[in-house]
Amino acid sequence: AMATAGPRSFSAAEVRARCAQGACLVSCHRRLYDLSGFVRLHPGGEQLLRRRAGTDVSAALDGPPHRHSANARRWLEQYYVGEIEPGDEQVPPEARGLRESGDRGMGGSWGRHVRSLWGAQGSDLVDWQKPLLWQVGYLGEKYDEWVHQPVDRPIRLFHSDVLEFLSKTAWYVVFMVWTPVVLYLSWVSYTSLAQGNTRLFSSFTTEYSIPVHKYYFPFIFLLGMILWSLLEYLIHRFVFHMKPPASNYYLITLHFLLHGQHHKSPFDSSRLVFPPVPASLVIGFFYGVLRLLLPEVLGLSVFVGGLCGYVIYDMMHYYLHYGSPKKGTYLYGLKAYHVKHHFEHQKSGSFGISTRFWDYPFRTLIPEETFKKED
């Protein structure tokens, strides 16, 4: 039988040369990881790479030293490339990576810890060479744990190329499709209100009905954005993060289609925003609800504000995954907060994407101590 090749060995000189060429190599317990393609997606990674200019590239992963979750360590194993050569103690500072103090409490060697988290290299509960949507329902009680162990690889959902195409989209398509709609409907709403025929409560009473002037449009628009923000929070928390019954194949499949796929592969760039075709069905439903509840022009004004909020939400969501906000800014904090949601607090916090506001009144805020540095 053919012997299985062991891990590749790297000399300190080879690691130093690769770092000098721009690679981001990180070592931990002599295990070597190539994070070149991922480091800029980590909060602050791009700024740290630029500032340190290859002096201590590993800081791009750890930033200021902080505790990493089991999912983060499991994620790291996807970038394993080999071992530092035995006896070569001069590991270059460019690749001096995860501090041993960051691995306290794991017990045993790093290798045993890795095997307990990841299993045999490349093993999984599904066949990644086939569409996943029809497989996940069979995972049963294993689904919830599996879907909350993120991986860095693209997902195919459907056998049909047409359905697969409709389930994916680039971020800018959302902006290009819905921004003209927001602008047009805003103009229609404002000019309709300017005619002076819109009155609130007119269906109940004519004597005490309230006229709605065109000057109210910005406030109604803002109300629509706020309502969308609340709706986003509620949907994310109670629908996207429901725990489907282990015995229900169809609810597991639905959960994976709606949001589970995103948590399984959080950096699949083609699945970070809502594709226009399925989005139009959902948007049309909410427009119909507002038409039933409010006078036509008033409902349209609230709707267009909500639609604008949705566009901002989708753009923000993409940026939080692929953008590199400057450290210390609001967006940097929001990105770090969202990363915590994906890797550690997936089922109990950070349900709002574009804001943390609703986490306060609903008491789902991620604890501050999870962001603190280690001693």
Side-chain angles (χ1 to χ4, degrees), residues 276-294:
V277 173
S280 63
L281 300 178
V282 178
I283 289 169
F285 169 77
F286 286 117
Y287 173 70
V289 171
L290 288 172
R291 280 291 307 271
L292 290 174
L293 298 177
L294 297 170

Side-chain angles (χ1 to χ4, degrees), residues 341-356:
H341 170 60
H342 271 282
F343 284 84
E344 190 169 3
H345 291 266
Q346 299 165 318
K347 295 181 283 187
S348 61
S350 186
F351 296 108
I353 300 297
S354 54
T355 176
R356 284 182 282 186

Side-chain angles (χ1 to χ4, degrees), residues 38 69 71-72 75 150 266-267 339-346:
F38 171 71
S69 66
N71 267 336
W75 180 273
F267 294 101
V339 167
K340 278 285 183 182
H341 170 60
H342 271 282
F343 284 84
E344 190 169 3
H345 291 266
Q346 299 165 318

Side-chain angles (χ1 to χ4, degrees), residues 35-159:
L35 303 183
S36 304
F38 171 71
V39 66
R40 286 176 175 81
L41 302 181
H42 190 280
E46 187 168 341
Q47 283 77 22
L48 284 165
L49 275 176
R50 186 163 53 245
R51 185 174 77 239
R52 297 184 182 255
T55 303
D56 186 6
V57 184
S58 65
L61 173 69
D62 240 12
H66 60 275
R67 178 178 57 83
H68 281 102
S69 66
N71 267 336
R73 295 185 177 96
R74 182 185 295 109
W75 180 273
L76 177 67
E77 285 307 306
Q78 298 173 101
Y79 309 110
Y80 171 71
V81 291
E83 309 278 337
I84 301 293
E85 287 183 355
D88 195 341
E89 303 301 331
Q90 299 300 316
V91 179
E94 296 94 325
R96 225 168 268 154
L98 299 176
R99 301 170 305 122
E100 294 197 19
S101 61
D103 305 323
R104 285 193 298 252
M106 289 206 251
S109 69
W110 175 262
R112 286 198 301 273
H113 176 66
V114 166
R115 287 191 292 273
S116 69
L117 283 177
W118 194 252
Q121 189 70 22
S123 67
D124 209 330
L125 299 175
V126 296
D127 185 350
W128 285 88
Q129 303 304 314
K130 299 177 181 178
L132 296 188
L133 188 61
W134 315 119
Q135 299 183 57
V136 294
Y138 294 112
L139 296 181
E141 60 185 15
K142 297 180 181 179
Y143 170 75
D144 190 63
E145 181 181 5
W146 175 84
V147 82
H148 290 108
Q149 294 177 353
V151 296
D152 187 9
R153 60 194 304 173
I155 284 178
R156 183 178 179 96
L157 291 178
F158 299 99
H159 291 282

Side-chain angles (χ1 to χ4, degrees), residues 25-262:
L25 300 178
V26 173
S27 68
C28 182
H29 298 266
R30 309 203 68 82
R31 292 174 67 86
L32 194 64
Y33 305 89
D34 187 348
L35 303 183
S36 304
F38 171 71
V39 66
R40 286 176 175 81
L41 302 181
H42 190 280
E46 187 168 341
Q47 283 77 22
L48 284 165
L49 275 176
R50 186 163 53 245
R51 185 174 77 239
R52 297 184 182 255
T55 303
D56 186 6
V57 184
S58 65
L61 173 69
D62 240 12
H66 60 275
R67 178 178 57 83
H68 281 102
S69 66
N71 267 336
R73 295 185 177 96
R74 182 185 295 109
W75 180 273
L76 177 67
E77 285 307 306
Q78 298 173 101
Y79 309 110
Y80 171 71
V81 291
E83 309 278 337
I84 301 293
E85 287 183 355
D88 195 341
E89 303 301 331
Q90 299 300 316
V91 179
E94 296 94 325
R96 225 168 268 154
L98 299 176
R99 301 170 305 122
E100 294 197 19
S101 61
D103 305 323
R104 285 193 298 252
M106 289 206 251
S109 69
W110 175 262
R112 286 198 301 273
H113 176 66
V114 166
R115 287 191 292 273
S116 69
L117 283 177
W118 194 252
Q121 189 70 22
S123 67
D124 209 330
L125 299 175
V126 296
D127 185 350
W128 285 88
Q129 303 304 314
K130 299 177 181 178
L132 296 188
L133 188 61
W134 315 119
Q135 299 183 57
V136 294
Y138 294 112
L139 296 181
E141 60 185 15
K142 297 180 181 179
Y143 170 75
D144 190 63
E145 181 181 5
W146 175 84
V147 82
H148 290 108
Q149 294 177 353
V151 296
D152 187 9
R153 60 194 304 173
I155 284 178
R156 183 178 179 96
L157 291 178
F158 299 99
H159 291 282
S160 167
D161 290 337
V162 174
L163 290 178
E164 184 67 12
F165 174 78
L166 294 177
S167 72
K168 300 162 64 174
T169 191
W171 69 269
Y172 54 83
V173 173
V174 172
F175 184 83
M176 292 173 60
V177 168
W178 296 114
T179 300
V181 177
V182 169
L183 294 175
Y184 174 73
L185 293 183
S186 295
W187 177 79
V188 170
S189 300
Y190 181 81
T191 54
S192 298
L193 289 174
Q195 295 176 10
N197 300 324
T198 304
R199 303 183 73 88
L200 197 58
F201 307 125
S202 59
S203 59
F204 300 104
T205 174
T206 55
E207 186 177 356
Y208 298 105
S209 62
I210 303 173
V212 182
H213 299 292
K214 62 182 180 180
Y215 307 108
Y216 295 164
F217 174 73
F219 303 101
I220 302 171
F221 186 94
L222 181 61
L223 175 63
M225 293 186 68
I226 294 172
L227 289 175
W228 158 254
S229 179
L230 175 60
L231 185 64
E232 172 215 332
Y233 174 91
L234 295 175
I235 291 175
H236 198 173
R237 179 178 178 181
F238 295 108
V239 179
F240 290 171
H241 282 272
M242 68 173 179
K243 184 177 180 180
S247 60
N248 195 312
Y249 172 91
Y250 297 102
L251 282 180
I252 292 175
T253 301
L254 179 63
H255 178 268
F256 189 72
L257 178 64
L258 291 176
H259 197 61
Q261 55 165 313
H262 174 53

